[in-house]
Each structure stands twice: as C-alpha cells, then as structure tokens.
Amino acid sequence: MSVTVVGSIAFDAVQTPHGGRERMLGGAAVHFSLAASFFDDVRVVGPVGDDFGDAEYAVLHGRGVDTDDIEHVAGGKTFFWSGVYHENMNSRDTLETDLNVFETFDPKLSRESLDAEVVFLANILPALQLNVRKQCNRAKFVALDSMDLWINIAREALVAAISAVDCVILNDSEVALLTGEREVVAGARKIMQHGPQAMVVKLGKYGAALVTPEDSFWVPAFPVDFVADPTGAGDSFAGGFVGCVAAHGGEAGIDVLKLAMAYGTAIASYNVEEFGTERVARLTGPEIVERVKELRRITAFDTPDVTLKG
Ligand code: AMP
C-alpha cells in the first residue's frame, strides 16, 4: 500500500500569542505527509523553488517520505504563506500569500504515485484536484480538502472534484460557506449528496465530526496543556485520518473511520504544541498510541443510567 498526497509545500511565517517564526517549513502536503508516514509509505507531489534545500528535504526524509515527485522549478521561489492568530487561537488572518512556483503548478505524478491505493488531494485549485483524481485509477480511497477561496471563486469546479472522491474534509465555516447550512450534520449531508460516502467536519479546538449517510460520530480535540501554533493542525489531522484508512488497506468502513478520527486527533494535538512541523518531525509511534488510548478513556462512559423522576 502507499499514499500519495498532492498539495502545497511552503515556507510559512506565523505569529501567535506565544511567539512566532519568520520562516519555517510548512504547506498542507508537508504536514499531511509527516503525519501519514506513521501508517504507510507516503509520496508527496508539489512544487518547490531554489530556496527549498537539504534542510527541508531532511525533515521529510527523516520520516521516510518519498520526495521523488517534488517538482523543483529552477529559478523559482517556494510558495510562501504568512498568518497571525487571534488571542483565542481558533481563528487566524492571512497576511500574505505569495504563490510563486505554486501559481503555475500542474501536478505530474510518476507511475508509482499514480498507482497509490490511497490519495489525499490537499487544498489546491479544484480543477487540478479533479484532474489528479481521474488519473489515479487504482485508488480505493480518495479524500479531499479545500478552502474558502475556492468555494468563493471556483464553486462549480470544487463540486465536480467533490463528486469524484470518497471523503471530504473541511472545517465548519467552509461547510457553512459551501452549503449555506450552519449545522454540522445537515451541512455535511448536503455535501455528501454530490457523491462522497463520508465527511469530516473539523471544529478547530472543539474537535471533529465524522458524518456518514446514516450516522455521525464526534471526537473532541485532545486536551493539551499548551498550544504554541495551530498551523497545519488540519493537515496533520488529515494525515492521521487518511493514513489510518491506508493502514486498513483503503477499506473505509465505519469502524475504521472512527478509529481514523482518533489517530487524526492525536497527531493534530502534537502538531499544535510547537511551531510548524517541529513537534511532528520528532514524534514517535508510541506517543501517538498513548494519546489514542487516552482519548478512548476520556470519551467513554459506561456507568449505568440513574432512575429519573418522571
Ligand atoms: P492548516 O493550518 O491545516 O489549515 O494548514 C496550513 C498550511 O496550509 C500552511 O502550512 C500553509 O503553507 C498552507 N496554505 C496556506 N494557504 C494556502 C493556499 N492558498 N493554498 C495551499 N496551501 C495553503
């Protein structure tokens, strides 16, 4: 089995109430790859410029991520994003987005990447997502992420891409923007009418919901003591979630999806404790297992009902 991810590879600058970084490795595909690498072989597809060097590759190689399909655009500069987090850390403003080599990105997947059984289409132009989806003929499970920009300027293309995948992962405000529906389950079901059999609605510091045609399943965010930087939490979640499905051979039955919610939650919780990729780059399997176990403990209750009056 292997997982292919197509998306942004970036340098990020962030400011949070607890400090900041002027320039750190980021990008949706990077955060996803590091998280998914705990479950399966991962191939990352995305463009970089001349400023992307050995130190950045070393982070990906440190987790065994295959970087052969990273496209080095000679003379180009790597995508740059900067943002500032509000006091509550649950919302942020984008200060700058320099697309650079990302502007003309047209994903070229090697045979090995095309043959992946599990594919994650990170947040890129929806027409490119659909194009990649159509080429990945052997994929058993394809998930997609997007953002408000594409909902606003490429809605039809986004709906076409959504129609071609098995699972959509969005945050609650994106679901509301896409459907006009504020309630999580109702909004998710509207999106699933286009074809996907499952949806994950990310709720930031409040956790995430899995919605299927018949049911919904809710996991809180893991209660960490300190949040340094939420950047990449959504993509780390997606890496853990999709990676867990890959570890089950791409079979996304409801029990696997529920477990995947726990792995996504656990890895995202480590991501936010330090800046950018700093924490996940040195994360270990046993640490992930420990938080999944703790999640089970803090969400289960089996005390018998009380007898109520009335
Ligand atoms: P998340 O915090 O999970 O939403 O992901 C943040 C990551 O997405 C950062 O590392 C950014 O580099 C990347 N990013 C920000 N804006 C965009 C964009 N317009 N397209 C693709 N990736 C982006």
Side-chain angles (χ1 to χ4, degrees):
M1 271 269 152
S2 72
V3 180
T4 293
V5 52
V6 182
S8 61
I9 299 171
F11 286 113
D12 291 340
V14 299
Q15 274 301 324
T16 82
H18 303 295
R21 294 287 184 275
E22 300 259 302
R23 183 179 165 88
M24 62 186 185
L25 175 62
V30 169
H31 287 291
F32 177 93
S33 296
L34 295 177
S37 70
F38 286 93
F39 302 86
D40 207 342
D41 297 336
V42 179
R43 294 171 180 280
V44 58
V45 182
V48 299
D50 291 341
D51 49 353
F52 199 85
D54 292 347
E56 287 73 36
Y57 279 110
V59 174
L60 292 162
H61 293 156
R63 286 286 331 141
V65 175
D66 187 310
T67 57
D68 286 356
D69 278 1
I70 288 187
E71 189 184 338
H72 180 156
V73 181
K77 271 181 76 182
T78 301
F79 174 74
F80 176 79
W81 173 81
S82 76
V84 57
Y85 285 84
H86 300 161
E87 199 52 46
N88 69 7
M89 298 281 257
N90 218 28
S91 58
R92 70 183 176 209
D93 290 327
T94 290
L95 300 178
E96 227 180 307
T97 303
D98 297 337
L99 292 174
N100 300 328
V101 295
F102 209 44
E103 186 151 18
T104 50
F105 176 50
D106 187 11
K108 294 168 204 68
L109 280 69
S110 62
R111 188 72 259 157
E112 290 83 357
S113 290
L114 287 172
D115 281 347
E117 290 92 347
V118 172
V119 176
F120 184 61
L121 305 169
N123 167 32
I124 54 171
L125 197 72
L128 296 180
Q129 292 180 313
L130 182 59
N131 198 0
V132 171
R133 170 64 194 101
K134 283 182 176 163
Q135 293 178 57
C136 294
N137 297 320
R138 297 188 55 192
K140 287 165 86 173
F141 182 78
V142 182
L144 166 155
D145 182 22
S146 192
M147 70 184 294
D148 52 357
L149 172 71
W150 307 123
I151 299 170
N152 286 326
I153 70 168
R155 180 178 289 257
E156 259 181 51
L158 177 59
V159 168
I162 285 173
S163 309
V165 302
D166 305 290
C167 179
V168 176
I169 304 176
L170 294 176
N171 66 37
D172 53 343
S173 64
E174 292 159 349
V175 171
L177 185 63
L178 184 56
T179 64
E181 188 63 66
R182 285 241 142 250
E183 301 310 320
V184 168
V185 174
R189 294 251 164 85
K190 267 196 184 172
I191 292 174
M192 288 160 63
Q193 282 169 6
H194 297 294
Q197 284 303 296
M199 246 216 90
V200 174
V201 184
K202 295 174 288 179
L203 305 165
K205 63 158 72 161
Y206 303 108
L210 167 72
V211 184
T212 63
E214 307 81 29
D215 212 349
S216 70
F217 176 73
W218 303 70
V219 176
F222 187 91
V224 294
D225 291 335
F226 178 74
V227 175
D229 169 28
T231 309
D235 301 305
S236 297
F237 176 96
F241 180 84
V242 173
C244 181
V245 173
H248 289 85
E251 301 292 344
I254 186 68
D255 290 335
V256 170
L257 292 176
K258 286 181 179 178
L259 184 66
M261 292 284 287
Y263 278 99
T265 298
I267 299 180
S269 75
Y270 283 110
N271 176 294
V272 302
E273 289 183 326
E274 292 180 28
F275 281 83
T277 60
E278 289 165 12
R279 182 65 181 92
V280 177
R282 56 167 218 281
L283 188 59
T284 65
E287 287 175 318
I288 299 171
V289 170
E290 184 189 306
R291 285 207 176 161
V292 169
K293 190 173 165 208
E294 182 65 357
L295 260 180
R296 290 184 198 268
R297 191 188 70 77
I298 65 174
T299 55
F301 58 99
D302 45 23
T303 317
D305 280 346
V306 289
T307 307
L308 299 174
K309 298 180 179 189

